[in-house]
Amino acid sequence: EPKLTLRPPSLAAPYAPVQSWQHQPEKLIFESCGYEANYLGSMLIKDLRGTESTQDACAKMRKSTEHMKKIPTIILSITYKGVKFIDASNKNVIAEHEIRNISCAAQDPEDLCTFAYITKDLQTSHHYCHVFSTVDMNLTYEIILTLGQAFEVAYQLALQAQRAKPPGAAAGETIETKSSKPVPKPRAGARKSAVLDQDSQSHASVSWVVDPKQDSKRTLSTKYETTIF
C-alpha cells in the first residue's frame, strides 16, 4: 500500500495553530500508542450533551475519588481501530472501545490533568463516560491529540480502500468525518482545554462513519472545527 498521507492539524482545522501530529501514521496502524493514566471510573450518561456531558462526568468523578487512597493505573493503548484499557500491573486487556463508538473526548477545563471520553454500548445503546487523570496536563493534551490523529488515520485508510476498488464496484459506502483538532498545549495557568467531539446527534465536531448498507453513490464529507474553552 502507498504511504498514508495525513492532513496536518493546521490545515485540517484552520483555527487550530497545531502544526503537526505526535506520531507517524504507521505507529497507529501497525503498532499502538500507549499512555499511562489513572482510571477514575465511568458513569452512565442519560442525557447526551456533547462536551458538557464530559465536563459534568469529570467533576463528579474527581469529587467521588478525591479521598480514595488507591486509584487504578491503566495503560491506554490507542490505534486507528480504537482504544484498549490495559491493566498496568498484569498487562491484561480490561476493555476495548472501537473508534466509531467513541463520541466525545475532552480535557476537563477545571483540571487540565483530567480528561474523559464517551462511548456507546451497541447492545444497550447506552452512553458511558470514562474519566481519567494523568500526572501532567501536557500528557493529557497529547492523549487527546493522539485520539484526533487516530480518527484522521482511520478516515484516510477508508479513503485509500475506496480508491483501490475497481470502477463500478457495487455496494457503495458513506464516509463522513467531522474531526476536531485539539488546541495547542496550554501554558501554566491558562484556562484552555483540548476537545474532540464526535457526537453525531448534536453539534458534532467529530464523526467518522462507514455505512456498508448504503448502495447509493459514494459521498465524502469533511468538516474540521476547533473548540476552545
Side-chain angles (χ1 to χ4, degrees), residues 14-43:
Y15 300 104
V18 183
Q19 296 301 316
S20 61
W21 298 112
Q22 295 286 337
H23 311 283
Q24 292 297 318
E26 290 77 16
K27 177 78 173 176
L28 287 159
I29 298 172
F30 301 110
E31 301 176 41
S32 66
C33 299
Y35 296 97
E36 189 171 290
N38 294 319
Y39 185 45
L40 304 187
S42 65
M43 62 180 287

Side-chain angles (χ1 to χ4, degrees), residues 21 35 78 104-107 114-117 139-151 180-183 193-196:
W21 298 112
Y35 296 97
I78 303 172
C104 179
Q107 279 175 288
T114 302
F115 70 101
Y117 67 74
L139 176 59
T140 298
Y141 162 87
E142 183 175 331
I143 294 172
I144 299 294
L145 183 59
T146 300
L147 281 170
Q149 186 177 8
F151 280 105
S180 158
K181 300 304 176 279
V183 298
S193 61
V195 173
L196 181 72

Side-chain angles (χ1 to χ4, degrees), residues 5-171:
T5 301
L6 304 185
R7 294 164 295 186
S10 56
L11 291 181
Y15 300 104
V18 183
Q19 296 301 316
S20 61
W21 298 112
Q22 295 286 337
H23 311 283
Q24 292 297 318
E26 290 77 16
K27 177 78 173 176
L28 287 159
I29 298 172
F30 301 110
E31 301 176 41
S32 66
C33 299
Y35 296 97
E36 189 171 290
N38 294 319
Y39 185 45
L40 304 187
S42 65
M43 62 180 287
L44 176 66
I45 303 297
K46 295 180 181 179
D47 181 19
L48 191 61
R49 303 186 309 278
T51 55
E52 186 180 342
S53 295
T54 64
Q55 292 168 21
D56 290 346
C58 284
K60 290 176 181 177
M61 295 307 298
R62 276 193 288 108
K63 186 174 182 179
S64 67
T65 58
E66 62 184 356
H67 297 301
M68 286 179 60
K69 293 183 179 179
K70 189 173 182 180
I71 297 176
T73 300
I74 65 168
I75 305 297
L76 285 175
S77 177
I78 303 172
T79 71
Y80 80 99
K81 291 182 178 180
V83 180
K84 290 181 181 178
F85 291 17
I86 300 175
D87 189 309
S89 58
N90 58 28
K91 302 301 186 268
N92 290 334
V93 176
I94 302 170
E96 186 171 358
H97 300 130
E98 288 187 43
I99 200 80
R100 68 184 65 214
N101 295 330
I102 298 175
S103 60
C104 179
Q107 279 175 288
D108 180 359
E110 298 300 319
D111 177 7
L112 294 175
C113 288
T114 302
F115 70 101
Y117 67 74
I118 295 174
T119 60
K120 182 178 181 180
D121 186 302
L122 296 182
Q123 292 183 338
T124 63
S125 293
H126 292 158
H127 290 85
Y128 295 89
C129 189
H130 305 271
V131 184
F132 313 84
S133 66
T134 70
V135 296
D136 178 62
M137 64 181 180
N138 288 331
L139 176 59
T140 298
Y141 162 87
E142 183 175 331
I143 294 172
I144 299 294
L145 183 59
T146 300
L147 281 170
Q149 186 177 8
F151 280 105
E152 173 69 3
V153 169
Y155 175 65
Q156 292 297 339
L157 283 173
L159 286 182
Q160 190 180 81
Q162 180 177 287
R163 295 190 195 102
K165 289 183 179 180

